[in-house]
Amino acid sequence: ARRAFEVDPSGFGGSDGFGSKPAEQRRMPLPARTVVLTSDHLACVQAMESGMRSVALVHEDWDGDAYSRVDKAADVILDDLVGLSIHDFSTPGSFWLNPPP
């Protein structure tokens, strides 16, 4: 799935060119900057093995054993995404710098 996307980074810069950086070339997403949203244990394991972060969403069919398996593989488990935006999950982003309690 990662190969199906292409990142088009934009440059950044301060006033008078201080701290400016030209835009990078288009590329596939970097695993370390990729976040997987899932409710599947195997997807969490695959994300971890690929160097990606994973956010698991609680699934209504999980029992205690399923929750425990996902908890060991996911970076975080959430009940829902209420109050969060896609920008919160970008890395580094506010979610990773200031995780919810």
Side-chain angles (χ1 to χ4, degrees), residues 32-64:
R33 299 283 188 239
T34 304
V35 179
V36 176
L37 297 173
T38 184
S39 60
D40 180 64
H41 169 256
L42 183 57
C44 292
V45 171
Q46 291 170 334
M48 181 175 50
E49 290 174 346
S50 300
M52 300 176 190
R53 295 179 181 189
S54 63
V55 174
L57 300 172
V58 173
H59 192 276
E60 61 188 35
D61 293 337
W62 285 359
D63 57 16

Side-chain angles (χ1 to χ4, degrees), residues 16-90:
D16 296 326
F18 176 74
S20 62
K21 179 181 175 186
E24 296 177 17
Q25 299 225 355
R26 295 175 72 95
R27 58 172 168 72
M28 285 191 316
L30 302 171
R33 299 283 188 239
T34 304
V35 179
V36 176
L37 297 173
T38 184
S39 60
D40 180 64
H41 169 256
L42 183 57
C44 292
V45 171
Q46 291 170 334
M48 181 175 50
E49 290 174 346
S50 300
M52 300 176 190
R53 295 179 181 189
S54 63
V55 174
L57 300 172
V58 173
H59 192 276
E60 61 188 35
D61 293 337
W62 285 359
D63 57 16
D65 185 48
Y67 187 95
S68 178
R69 283 181 295 146
V70 171
D71 190 35
K72 291 176 184 172
D75 289 288
V76 66
I77 297 177
L78 298 176
D79 292 327
D80 57 49
L81 298 175
V82 173
L84 298 171
S85 77
I86 194 69
H87 299 291
D88 293 320
F89 293 106
S90 62

